[in-house]
Amino acid sequence: MKHILHSYNKIEIGNRLIVFPNETNIDKIESFENVICFNTTPFEKDLDWNKIETHLIWKERCLNNPSELFCYESSGDLKWKFQNRNVVGFGKIIPDLKQEKDFITSEHYRNYIEKYKDKELIEVYAGDFRYLLDVNTGEIYDKMHSK
């Protein structure tokens, strides 16, 4: 799906330009068949971590520009936004590429393949949890403590 990243805080999807505050950074973008997902983080490239006041600035930026995950339709309309505002990473999961050796038992593998066959999945890390979601609906299929 087509998108254009105009700058660190501006992305064009369809005919819509999505602009975030100057202190927000678009961090990672993943294209799927029907949606484009990306996460945002507080902008930090302009900060000097050797200065004492930087930590206060960073704290304020994190409050005002949380790390979030958005998925947009090709028209540029927001499809869904992840419920947790502390997204530290995400990525595509392709069930067909999973192998039986990746699972505890053959039965677990078969159940996984049957459950997620023909689905576009996304793995999201937010806070202390790992989530498995349907990328087209935002539905959470699984939530696991990740620490």
Side-chain angles (χ1 to χ4, degrees):
M1 187 174 308
K2 187 179 177 202
H3 68 276
I4 301 169
L5 186 63
H6 288 281
S7 68
Y8 70 92
N9 68 334
K10 296 176 188 169
I11 186 169
E12 185 177 338
I13 301 172
N15 291 325
R16 183 162 298 161
L17 182 64
I18 302 152
V19 180
F20 290 92
N22 288 338
E23 294 176 347
T24 299
N25 182 62
I26 296 171
D27 189 47
K28 178 181 178 183
I29 304 167
E30 288 278 2
S31 292
F32 295 85
E33 188 174 332
N34 298 311
V35 296
I36 290 180
C37 298
F38 60 87
N39 71 313
T40 60
T41 59
F43 187 72
E44 67 175 304
K45 290 182 181 175
D46 63 334
L47 297 177
D48 181 354
W49 289 100
N50 294 317
K51 294 181 180 177
I52 295 172
E53 63 272 10
T54 298
H55 293 281
L56 295 175
I57 295 168
W58 180 248
K59 184 177 178 181
E60 185 71 22
R61 283 191 187 176
C62 289
L63 287 173
N64 296 328
N65 307 285
S67 299
E68 297 180 295
L69 176 66
F70 303 87
C71 287
Y72 280 81
E73 297 175 340
S74 61
S75 63
D77 292 333
L78 179 64
K79 180 83 171 180
W80 58 269
K81 177 180 166 184
F82 189 60
Q83 64 190 12
N84 191 311
R85 292 170 46 117
N86 188 21
V87 174
V88 294
F90 78 98
K92 286 183 182 181
I93 299 291
I94 303 172
D96 294 341
L97 296 181
K98 294 287 187 180
Q99 297 179 1
E100 191 171 329
K101 67 180 179 145
D102 299 329
F103 294 82
I104 297 170
T105 67
S106 297
E107 184 180 352
H108 282 87
Y109 171 72
R110 285 191 301 277
N111 290 342
Y112 180 90
I113 295 300
E114 184 178 312
K115 184 175 182 178
Y116 300 120
K117 184 174 180 54
D118 298 326
K119 295 200 183 283
E120 287 186 297
L121 303 175
I122 191 170
E123 182 177 51
V124 180
Y125 290 89
D128 292 339
F129 293 93
R130 174 197 163 270
Y131 299 84
L132 184 64
L133 288 81
D134 183 310
V135 76
N136 292 299
T137 65
E139 179 183 354
I140 297 173
Y141 291 133
D142 193 21
K143 177 182 174 182
M144 292 175 35
H145 199 267
S146 64
K147 290 212 175 201

